Every structure is written in C-alpha cells, then in structure tokens.
Amino acid sequence: MLKKRIIICLDVKDGRTTKGVKFQNNKDIGDPVEMAAEYYRQGVDELVFYDIMASASGRGPILGLIARVASQVFIPFCVGGGIGTLEDIRSTILAGAEKVSLNSQAVKNPDLIKQGARIFGNQCIVLGMDAAKDDSMPSGYRIYTNGGRIKTELDAREWAQKAVSLGAGEIVLNSIDTDGVRQGYELTLTRMISESVDVPVIASGGAGVTQHLADAFTKGKADAALIATMVHSGGYTVGQIKKELDADGIPVRL
C-alpha cells in the first residue's frame, strides 16, 4: 500500500515565512531557510515553498532564497509563485527544486503545463488550485488566482481534469474557505477532485489536529496532506503527527 505523504508549506512574502487565515491578515512567522532545515530534521516527506506575492507583483521566482532553502533539505522540494515561463521552470529546478507549482500562471497560459511537462516531465509539473465554494459552478466550486484575490470563470473539477490532460503530474488542492481555519480540510471538494483525476491529489487548507489529516486520507481520498499552521504554531511536530496516523492504521513513513 502506498504510504501517505506529509508535506509542509512555507508561504513566503518579502523573503520571510508568513501565515494568514483564508488568504488574509498574514503575519511574519520566521526565516524560511531555518524553518525548512528544522522540518527536514523532524522527518517531513516533502516541502513546498510558495512566494505568495510573486504573481500579484508581476515578478519571477526568488532564486537566491530557493537555493538557500534547497541546500537545507534532501527531500522532494516544490516551488510555486511567479513561475510563468519555461525559463522560470528551468531556473527554479537549477536552483534546487524537484517540482514547480503552476497556479495563476497556468490559468493565464495553460500551454505552460503542456510545454513544461513535455520538457521537464509530468512528475515535475504540479497544478496549484485555489478553489472556493460557489453554487453557480457545475461542480459547486470556483477557481481563484493571485492568492485568492481574482475570481475566474473556471470550474474546479473541469480545470483539474484539463490540467491533468495537458500533463500536470500532481495537484495541490487548496480550499480558500478552510485555509488557516484549523477546522479540517474541505473533504467534499478533496474527494470530488481525487475521484475526477488519475494523478495524486494533495489536500491543503484547514488542518488543525491529526484527525483532520486522517480524514483527508480516508474520507477525502487524498494521496498527501499539506500542513502549515499546525506545525508553525509549535502545537505539533512531524514525528508526533506521523505516530498518531500510524496508530490510526494510516500508512506513513516513520
């Protein structure tokens, strides 16, 4: 049985790790390089680094900081934010990332997914999706871009399926409605997307206790769970989360 992955997300703004609630009221919580090193020591399976202001500011990835984080971790490392060209993908990988997350830029230019997958491989191209409940959409969920600021006309399920058909090898599915609230993942959305595509889906947005991850894996059918506030707050360590999941019968790398 495939082991479930625990992934920690570092949202980065102006070179510092930040955390907000529902994509707002972000607070500075530390140095991303030091935090990455600590989570690697704790045994996290993967790390995701999101430059949350890059697309909104119209700039590319911050390669120097990416290289410094990459030098501290020897696990899969995914980078998102401001990656809008094939050259951005190439330079991000050369800076030390194994994967790139395309979110707002993929909505603007879906061909970037196709070209990126063709040149760098499907395993390298991750679709980042920010979705919120909207009963006017066919699936009941709408896609937003620019860190949840801009409403699109894309339906969440249709966009996930299109992105996978273009070559996305994985999806990070973030619920805007539950982000940072620590009341659990949006399981209806997670399960719907997991059952609609044949690539791994990573649940994101809302974890507060280990049971929320267990629910994402069982009820939400997610392949991995992305966490942030839960560990940034000091309430949990990666080892503690994995031990609790293992005791629940969920296969994790101990």
Side-chain angles (χ1 to χ4, degrees), residues 214-229:
D215 290 342
F217 296 138
T218 54
K219 298 174 185 169
K221 305 286 186 192
D223 298 273
L226 190 139
I227 55 176
T229 311

PDB file of all heavy atoms in Angstrom, residues 214-229:
ATOM      1  N   ALA A 214      -6.064  12.424   8.868  1.00  0.00           N
ATOM      2  CA  ALA A 214      -6.650  11.084   8.709  1.00  0.00           C
ATOM      3  C   ALA A 214      -7.915  11.160   7.863  1.00  0.00           C
ATOM      4  O   ALA A 214      -8.136  10.334   6.970  1.00  0.00           O
ATOM      5  CB  ALA A 214      -6.944  10.476  10.083  1.00  0.00           C
ATOM      6  N   ASP A 215      -8.756  12.167   8.131  1.00  0.00           N
ATOM      7  CA  ASP A 215      -9.995  12.342   7.354  1.00  0.00           C
ATOM      8  C   ASP A 215      -9.707  12.651   5.884  1.00  0.00           C
ATOM      9  O   ASP A 215     -10.404  12.165   4.993  1.00  0.00           O
ATOM     10  CB  ASP A 215     -10.835  13.481   7.946  1.00  0.00           C
ATOM     11  CG  ASP A 215     -11.446  13.128   9.299  1.00  0.00           C
ATOM     12  OD1 ASP A 215     -11.523  11.924   9.631  1.00  0.00           O
ATOM     13  OD2 ASP A 215     -11.845  14.064  10.031  1.00  0.00           O
ATOM     14  N   ALA A 216      -8.667  13.460   5.635  1.00  0.00           N
ATOM     15  CA  ALA A 216      -8.297  13.790   4.247  1.00  0.00           C
ATOM     16  C   ALA A 216      -7.894  12.532   3.485  1.00  0.00           C
ATOM     17  O   ALA A 216      -8.238  12.356   2.316  1.00  0.00           O
ATOM     18  CB  ALA A 216      -7.169  14.814   4.226  1.00  0.00           C
ATOM     19  N   PHE A 217      -7.173  11.628   4.167  1.00  0.00           N
ATOM     20  CA  PHE A 217      -6.725  10.389   3.525  1.00  0.00           C
ATOM     21  C   PHE A 217      -7.865   9.389   3.332  1.00  0.00           C
ATOM     22  O   PHE A 217      -7.921   8.710   2.313  1.00  0.00           O
ATOM     23  CB  PHE A 217      -5.611   9.735   4.352  1.00  0.00           C
ATOM     24  CG  PHE A 217      -4.353  10.562   4.448  1.00  0.00           C
ATOM     25  CD1 PHE A 217      -3.665  10.670   5.652  1.00  0.00           C
ATOM     26  CD2 PHE A 217      -3.848  11.229   3.337  1.00  0.00           C
ATOM     27  CE1 PHE A 217      -2.502  11.425   5.748  1.00  0.00           C
ATOM     28  CE2 PHE A 217      -2.686  11.985   3.433  1.00  0.00           C
ATOM     29  CZ  PHE A 217      -2.010  12.087   4.639  1.00  0.00           C
ATOM     30  N   THR A 218      -8.743   9.285   4.305  1.00  0.00           N
ATOM     31  CA  THR A 218      -9.810   8.272   4.242  1.00  0.00           C
ATOM     32  C   THR A 218     -11.058   8.809   3.545  1.00  0.00           C
ATOM     33  O   THR A 218     -11.445   8.330   2.484  1.00  0.00           O
ATOM     34  CB  THR A 218     -10.147   7.755   5.656  1.00  0.00           C
ATOM     35  OG1 THR A 218     -10.463   8.871   6.506  1.00  0.00           O
ATOM     36  CG2 THR A 218      -8.974   6.990   6.248  1.00  0.00           C
ATOM     37  N   LYS A 219     -11.649   9.856   4.108  1.00  0.00           N
ATOM     38  CA  LYS A 219     -12.888  10.399   3.527  1.00  0.00           C
ATOM     39  C   LYS A 219     -12.626  11.231   2.266  1.00  0.00           C
ATOM     40  O   LYS A 219     -13.444  11.248   1.349  1.00  0.00           O
ATOM     41  CB  LYS A 219     -13.609  11.269   4.566  1.00  0.00           C
ATOM     42  CG  LYS A 219     -14.043  10.483   5.806  1.00  0.00           C
ATOM     43  CD  LYS A 219     -14.629  11.413   6.860  1.00  0.00           C
ATOM     44  CE  LYS A 219     -14.937  10.628   8.130  1.00  0.00           C
ATOM     45  NZ  LYS A 219     -15.253  11.520   9.268  1.00  0.00           N
ATOM     46  N   GLY A 220     -11.494  11.949   2.241  1.00  0.00           N
ATOM     47  CA  GLY A 220     -11.199  12.815   1.102  1.00  0.00           C
ATOM     48  C   GLY A 220     -10.438  12.131  -0.019  1.00  0.00           C
ATOM     49  O   GLY A 220     -10.270  12.703  -1.089  1.00  0.00           O
ATOM     50  N   LYS A 221      -9.952  10.899   0.241  1.00  0.00           N
ATOM     51  CA  LYS A 221      -9.211  10.112  -0.762  1.00  0.00           C
ATOM     52  C   LYS A 221      -7.920  10.798  -1.237  1.00  0.00           C
ATOM     53  O   LYS A 221      -7.442  10.542  -2.345  1.00  0.00           O
ATOM     54  CB  LYS A 221     -10.079   9.797  -1.985  1.00  0.00           C
ATOM     55  CG  LYS A 221     -11.395   9.106  -1.680  1.00  0.00           C
ATOM     56  CD  LYS A 221     -11.174   7.657  -1.324  1.00  0.00           C
ATOM     57  CE  LYS A 221     -12.483   6.895  -1.155  1.00  0.00           C
ATOM     58  NZ  LYS A 221     -12.274   5.585  -0.545  1.00  0.00           N
ATOM     59  N   ALA A 222      -7.365  11.683  -0.411  1.00  0.00           N
ATOM     60  CA  ALA A 222      -6.140  12.394  -0.797  1.00  0.00           C
ATOM     61  C   ALA A 222      -4.931  11.468  -0.699  1.00  0.00           C
ATOM     62  O   ALA A 222      -4.899  10.544   0.120  1.00  0.00           O
ATOM     63  CB  ALA A 222      -5.935  13.615   0.098  1.00  0.00           C
ATOM     64  N   ASP A 223      -3.919  11.739  -1.521  1.00  0.00           N
ATOM     65  CA  ASP A 223      -2.671  10.968  -1.502  1.00  0.00           C
ATOM     66  C   ASP A 223      -1.666  11.563  -0.527  1.00  0.00           C
ATOM     67  O   ASP A 223      -0.757  10.889  -0.062  1.00  0.00           O
ATOM     68  CB  ASP A 223      -2.048  10.950  -2.905  1.00  0.00           C
ATOM     69  CG  ASP A 223      -2.967  10.266  -3.901  1.00  0.00           C
ATOM     70  OD1 ASP A 223      -2.887   9.035  -4.026  1.00  0.00           O
ATOM     71  OD2 ASP A 223      -3.787  10.966  -4.530  1.00  0.00           O
ATOM     72  N   ALA A 224      -1.834  12.859  -0.258  1.00  0.00           N
ATOM     73  CA  ALA A 224      -0.917  13.569   0.640  1.00  0.00           C
ATOM     74  C   ALA A 224      -1.686  14.695   1.311  1.00  0.00           C
ATOM     75  O   ALA A 224      -2.740  15.106   0.824  1.00  0.00           O
ATOM     76  CB  ALA A 224       0.275  14.124  -0.140  1.00  0.00           C
ATOM     77  N   ALA A 225      -1.145  15.173   2.421  1.00  0.00           N
ATOM     78  CA  ALA A 225      -1.772  16.291   3.132  1.00  0.00           C
ATOM     79  C   ALA A 225      -0.744  17.376   3.359  1.00  0.00           C
ATOM     80  O   ALA A 225       0.366  17.103   3.821  1.00  0.00           O
ATOM     81  CB  ALA A 225      -2.362  15.822   4.457  1.00  0.00           C
ATOM     82  N   LEU A 226      -1.116  18.583   3.020  1.00  0.00           N
ATOM     83  CA  LEU A 226      -0.242  19.724   3.207  1.00  0.00           C
ATOM     84  C   LEU A 226      -0.641  20.433   4.501  1.00  0.00           C
ATOM     85  O   LEU A 226      -1.819  20.669   4.741  1.00  0.00           O
ATOM     86  CB  LEU A 226      -0.392  20.651   2.001  1.00  0.00           C
ATOM     87  CG  LEU A 226       0.609  21.796   1.888  1.00  0.00           C
ATOM     88  CD1 LEU A 226       1.045  21.946   0.436  1.00  0.00           C
ATOM     89  CD2 LEU A 226      -0.014  23.089   2.351  1.00  0.00           C
ATOM     90  N   ILE A 227       0.347  20.728   5.324  1.00  0.00           N
ATOM     91  CA  ILE A 227       0.084  21.391   6.607  1.00  0.00           C
ATOM     92  C   ILE A 227       0.966  22.628   6.742  1.00  0.00           C
ATOM     93  O   ILE A 227       2.009  22.723   6.096  1.00  0.00           O
ATOM     94  CB  ILE A 227       0.314  20.441   7.811  1.00  0.00           C
ATOM     95  CG1 ILE A 227       1.736  19.847   7.783  1.00  0.00           C
ATOM     96  CG2 ILE A 227      -0.730  19.336   7.844  1.00  0.00           C
ATOM     97  CD1 ILE A 227       2.079  18.984   8.990  1.00  0.00           C
ATOM     98  N   ALA A 228       0.539  23.559   7.587  1.00  0.00           N
ATOM     99  CA  ALA A 228       1.323  24.771   7.814  1.00  0.00           C
ATOM    100  C   ALA A 228       1.138  25.232   9.251  1.00  0.00           C
ATOM    101  O   ALA A 228       1.958  24.935  10.113  1.00  0.00           O
ATOM    102  CB  ALA A 228       0.926  25.865   6.815  1.00  0.00           C
ATOM    103  N   THR A 229       0.017  25.907   9.532  1.00  0.00           N
ATOM    104  CA  THR A 229      -0.228  26.470  10.868  1.00  0.00           C
ATOM    105  C   THR A 229      -0.042  25.441  11.978  1.00  0.00           C
ATOM    106  O   THR A 229       0.489  25.738  13.049  1.00  0.00           O
ATOM    107  CB  THR A 229      -1.662  27.048  10.948  1.00  0.00           C
ATOM    108  OG1 THR A 229      -1.880  27.881   9.805  1.00  0.00           O
ATOM    109  CG2 THR A 229      -1.871  27.870  12.203  1.00  0.00           C
TER     110      THR A 229
END
